[in-house]
Amino acid sequence: MTASFGEQLRLAREARGISLRHISDQTRISIRYLEAIEADDYKRLPGGIFNRSFIKAYAKQIGFDEKEALDGYLRTAREQGESDEVATTPYRSHVYTDGGSRSPLVTLLLTILILAILSLGVYAALHWYQRREAERANNNNQSSANNTHGTQPANPTTNQNSSTQTSTFKNITITARDKNIYVSWQVDDAKRMSPGFLGPGKPLVGPLNPQERLLIRYDKKDASSLEITIDGHPVKNVPDDRTQIEITKDNYADLVR
């Protein structure tokens, strides 16, 4: 008997020795959603564009062709009578009272608009937070310098090197050269990784402004398509023998030589 789409994904995952927990940690997708995908139980998923994103992220983690996975999902959803355009739980309007039902296309457009507004809000908050932390660090450095002035002899060479490190280790961008790439990153001592997709020639987020370190994780096979710049200077070689690169204030100069 031919394996279902979900079984094909599960068999591909098990053949590579990858656990659902590993995929969940890398993609931030709940394990119960991953189990629903392998069981072809799409009613347990949030629906709409989220389903497609989950399928593509899952397929990427196990080395399964993303287009083939998306086609398999759509085919199975149609066979089950499900639609991937809207959430599986019907949405009832609390605004319109004329008794008419809202078009799925209108619902999809509203969903995209709301997600775009939320994304802009998150980006603005992140940018504000990074600026505040940078200003706080600069104020602390200035305060420390003022407290030690007059009690220790000035060292022009040390001050110059410190100023150079502070001024150059701040603007980092991550870009995909020629294909879509899934990456995750962690700034300084953040509690968790931030995930996202890169499009060809379009920076995921940036510039990032770490104070001490920036950890970037990626798939080995995407290393050659990943472009990282530090203050406009490209990192010469993104390692393809491991799945992450760490940029710190101590090693960034060597990475761009």
Side-chain angles (χ1 to χ4, degrees):
M1 181 180 295
T2 303
S4 67
F5 169 64
E7 290 175 337
Q8 292 176 26
L9 293 180
R10 178 179 59 79
L11 291 173
R13 172 179 64 79
E14 292 177 348
R16 290 169 174 78
I18 301 173
S19 66
L20 288 179
R21 171 59 63 186
H22 174 78
I23 297 176
S24 177
D25 291 341
Q26 293 298 314
T27 63
R28 313 308 302 177
I29 299 174
S30 170
I31 289 182
R32 67 187 183 92
Y33 287 156
L34 298 176
E35 291 175 340
I37 290 173
E38 291 189 348
D40 297 316
D41 187 2
Y42 304 136
K43 290 184 179 180
R44 292 162 55 190
L45 299 180
I49 58 176
F50 297 103
N51 289 14
R52 298 188 181 202
S53 297
F54 289 174
I55 294 294
K56 293 176 67 176
Y58 179 108
K60 185 177 184 64
Q61 287 297 313
I62 65 173
F64 200 95
D65 184 84
E66 294 178 34
K67 184 178 183 304
E68 182 179 344
L70 190 57
D71 290 342
Y73 155 68
L74 294 174
R75 181 175 61 255
T76 304
R78 285 194 297 269
E79 291 173 353
Q80 295 179 353
E82 299 287 342
S83 170
D84 76 312
E85 296 300 329
V86 296
T88 55
T89 301
Y91 174 78
R92 296 184 178 276
S93 172
H94 298 284
V95 178
Y96 300 104
T97 58
D98 58 359
S101 60
R102 177 177 294 173
S103 166
L105 179 59
V106 173
T107 300
L108 177 60
L109 292 176
L110 287 175
T111 300
I112 294 175
L113 178 60
I114 292 172
L115 289 175
I117 293 174
L118 291 176
S119 298
L120 288 174
V122 171
Y123 176 78
L126 177 62
H127 183 67
W128 172 83
Y129 175 78
Q130 291 175 340
R131 288 187 57 185
R132 188 187 70 171
E133 291 301 311
E135 291 174 357
R136 179 181 298 175
N138 289 336
N139 291 336
N140 290 339
N141 290 338
Q142 291 177 359
S143 176
S144 177
N146 291 335
N147 290 336
T148 57
H149 182 70
T151 61
Q152 296 180 356
N155 188 331
T157 302
T158 301
N159 291 340
Q160 182 178 0
N161 291 340
S162 176
S163 174
T164 300
Q165 281 191 346
T166 302
S167 63
T168 55
F169 181 68
K170 58 183 181 180
N171 296 327
I172 300 177
T173 60
I174 313 171
T175 309
R177 291 191 178 92
D178 52 10
K179 65 177 182 179
N180 292 329
I181 296 177
Y182 178 85
V183 300
S184 58
W185 67 95
Q186 183 182 49
V187 179
D188 294 325
D189 57 352
K191 300 299 183 183
R192 58 191 298 180
M193 303 291 290
S194 300
F197 289 93
L198 296 175
K202 298 178 181 179
L204 172 68
V205 65
L208 296 169
N209 300 298
Q211 298 299 310
E212 298 290 336
R213 63 185 283 274
L214 174 65
L215 180 65
I216 305 171
R217 290 181 178 172
Y218 51 88
D219 196 299
K220 289 183 187 179
K221 62 184 178 60
D222 294 330
S224 61
S225 297
L226 190 62
E227 182 173 281
I228 304 171
T229 63
I230 305 176
D231 284 341
H233 301 289
V235 172
K236 297 303 182 182
N237 294 303
V238 177
D240 59 4
D241 59 343
R242 56 181 185 270
T243 59
Q244 67 181 35
I245 180 173
E246 183 176 33
I247 303 173
T248 70
K249 64 180 183 179
D250 297 321
N251 73 355
Y252 76 89
D254 295 329
L255 295 175
V256 299
R257 288 177 181 170

